[in-house]
Amino acid sequence: MIKAVSSPNIALIKYWGNRNNELRLPAADSLSMTLDGPVVEVTVEQAPTASVRSMLADGNEKTLGEKDIARFANHIELIKQALVHFSAPDAIPASLAITVKSAIPPGIGLASSAAVFSAVAKAVQGLAKLSDEQTSVLARLGSGSAARSIDGGFMALVAGEGDDIGAAKARQIAPADHWPLHDIVVAPSVAHKKVGSTEGHAGAATSPLFLTRIENIRRERQPECIDAILKKDFEKLAAISEEDALDMHRVMETQSPPLHYLNDDTHRIIAEIEQLRKSEHLSVLYTMDAGPTVHLICTEDCRKRIAEFAKAQKGCTVFELKIGNGSTLVAG
Ligand code: DP6
């Protein structure tokens, strides 16, 4: 039995759209900060038949839908293909029993799939001798953004080129202790979103804004964002990442069919935080993934003030997270 734990990451340059949907080969590079929670635990063991179970934080079993079960089965098949590619074809047994324990409410833009599929990949790394970069490829095959949760700190998913299964992999830009930022997460609604990222990615290229966005990331945003991180230039990081988050949502809203993940609460929180940082000179930035949830990323000296702001938001669930170390294998 192999056990691995992992946690989500929050993207500063967003991954939206694939050049190959089946293999989750992204259209562009992306960049994120790995978070220290909420933690997901995945257990993988040999079994006569393949199965997947999902346990909730309270210990109760969550019934998985057909779509979820098929996604895990597909992930394991793709992992087997990748292991052949990495010259480790017999590294995992023919059928696996997978158990997932997650404290993350799914579908609110808190990257639950990133934590789950990176933990699955990490568990497989415990069975096969793979590098972290190869493990990030396995994670990517379950969920593109999961590749960025294999290691901690600041992670880039490098898109690469072509249709080779291993062409896109994650690379660490800086470890967690380089810049100990915080992520105060304000979730206006814990209701499951209607359209998941996988379906959304498939429509991204129908937006008239898509290609310009990809070109922008390639030419400017990704290298500039990496530069801001390496120099710990918060103002620059805020300007680029906020521009990119809003740009991704404009692509989502103009793709066909359009996806509207942000709601009135999101826009209100953004407006209030812009006001607050101006009046109190706070190093805080906002960003949103595929949901109305607002991530308020800030420096240590602003953490208390931002948490206070977040907790004053009526009807919202708040998570106080910080930069984390990525996935790990657990003994036992
Ligand atoms: C908006 O990794 O969830 O959070 O590969 O289909 O699982 P799949 O998509 P996913 O896409 C993440 C989209 C995003 C932006 C990001 O995390 O970069």
Side-chain angles (χ1 to χ4, degrees):
M1 188 182 90
I2 297 275
K3 204 187 271 186
V5 293
S6 193
S7 44
N9 61 76
I10 177 64
L12 296 160
I13 299 294
K14 308 289 185 186
Y15 150 53
W16 195 247
N18 289 315
R19 64 179 188 275
N20 178 325
N21 285 313
E22 200 196 331
L23 294 180
R24 291 186 152 86
L25 287 163
D29 289 4
S30 57
L31 190 64
S32 59
M33 175 174 120
T34 305
L35 301 173
D36 68 338
V39 171
V40 168
E41 182 189 286
V42 167
T43 310
V44 165
E45 53 197 323
Q46 182 170 9
T49 51
S51 66
V52 52
R53 296 174 72 198
S54 178
M55 314 300 286
L56 297 165
D58 59 10
N60 285 324
E61 183 156 358
K62 177 187 151 196
T63 316
L64 288 172
E66 260 174 51
K67 234 175 148 182
D68 293 320
I69 295 170
R71 185 167 181 178
F72 277 97
N74 184 51
H75 187 209
I76 296 299
E77 281 320 302
L78 290 170
I79 283 179
K80 286 178 180 168
Q81 278 183 39
L83 289 173
V84 171
H85 184 82
F86 295 142
S87 308
D90 304 317
I92 60 169
S95 33
L96 292 172
I98 301 174
T99 308
V100 178
K101 279 189 203 159
S102 173
I104 309 178
I108 58 160
L110 195 48
S112 55
S113 61
V116 170
F117 292 103
S118 57
V120 171
K122 192 70 187 180
V124 172
Q125 188 187 29
L127 295 165
K129 284 199 164 51
L130 300 174
S131 66
D132 278 5
E133 218 173 75
Q134 289 172 323
T135 309
S136 79
V137 170
L138 303 192
R140 193 203 81 223
L141 295 168
S143 173
S145 58
R148 301 185 312 237
S149 272
I150 292 298
D151 286 316
F154 297 92
M155 296 287 292
L157 174 55
V158 183
E161 281 174 9
D163 280 334
D164 191 296
I165 198 165
K169 48 196 156 217
R171 154 173 103 79
Q172 190 181 56
I173 299 300
D177 60 5
H178 166 71
W179 201 9
L181 297 180
H182 294 262
D183 181 7
I184 311 297
V185 185
V186 192
S189 146
V190 286
H192 207 291
K193 67 191 173 206
K194 290 189 195 79
V195 181
S197 309
T198 301
E199 264 173 82
H201 284 294
T206 62
S207 163
L209 309 174
F210 179 70
L211 285 181
T212 314
R213 166 173 164 72
I214 297 302
E215 192 47 27
N216 237 319
I217 292 174
R218 201 185 61 76
R219 253 188 315 107
E220 253 172 70
R221 280 189 206 146
Q222 180 84 353
E224 288 299 316
C225 202
I226 290 174
D227 185 65
I229 289 166
L230 294 177
K231 291 184 179 140
K232 300 185 212 172
D233 181 341
F234 195 89
E235 242 177 79
K236 182 171 173 176
L237 181 69
I240 303 168
S241 60
E242 288 179 0
E243 177 186 274
D244 187 69
L246 297 175
D247 188 31
M248 175 185 72
H249 283 279
R250 274 193 295 270
V251 167
M252 290 165 157
E253 287 160 13
T254 52
Q255 69 184 64
S256 159
L259 295 173
H260 297 273
Y261 286 118
L262 311 182
N263 64 21
D264 290 349
D265 286 323
T266 317
H267 292 295
R268 180 183 46 76
I269 294 166
I270 292 176
E272 286 181 17
I273 209 74
E274 280 178 336
Q275 186 60 40
L276 186 74
R277 80 170 158 201
K278 203 169 159 197
S279 59
E280 297 186 21
H281 308 287
L282 301 171
S283 294
V284 59
L285 68 86
Y286 60 82
T287 188
M288 295 76 59
D289 280 347
T293 298
V294 184
H295 293 254
L296 297 173
I297 298 177
C298 62
T299 52
E300 170 60 32
D301 55 320
C302 305
R303 183 184 56 81
K304 273 203 185 121
R305 181 68 187 100
I306 300 304
E308 184 190 2
F309 166 85
K311 286 175 193 160
Q313 299 297 319
K314 287 206 177 65
C316 293
T317 310
V318 174
F319 297 84
E320 292 183 58
L321 306 172
K322 62 176 190 298
I323 194 161
N325 290 311
S327 60
T328 48
L329 286 167
V330 181

